């Protein structure tokens, strides 16, 4: 079975980010760029994964 995925836009609203992602996960990102946050569930491993991709 293919992993289930959904995406959310990540953008600044004032001094915070709109999507609720723990700040330690965001330290490696370039804060001047916009990103989509991809939440992927792997049913074989029974785990969720979070990845960031540039917003197009």
């Amino acid at each position: 079975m293919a992993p289930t995925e959904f995406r959310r836009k990540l953008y600044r609203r004032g001094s915070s980010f709109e999507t609720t992602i723990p700040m330690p996960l965001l330290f490696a990102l370039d804060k001047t760029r916009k990103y989509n946050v991809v939440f992927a569930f792997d049913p074989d491993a029974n785990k969720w994964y979070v990845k960031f991709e540039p917003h197009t």
Side-chain angles (χ1 to χ4, degrees), residues 30-45:
D30 180 0
K31 304 295 189 293
T32 62
R33 297 182 66 196
K34 292 184 179 182
Y35 295 91
N36 289 324
V37 182
V38 180
F39 299 90
F41 181 71
D42 182 358
D44 295 329

Side-chain angles (χ1 to χ4, degrees), residues 6-25:
F6 61 94
R7 290 171 171 71
R8 295 291 183 262
K9 291 180 184 176
L10 176 67
Y11 56 91
R12 293 182 75 82
R13 176 177 272 178
S15 62
S16 64
F17 289 91
E18 182 60 26
T19 300
T20 54
I21 300 295
M23 202 57 184
L25 294 177

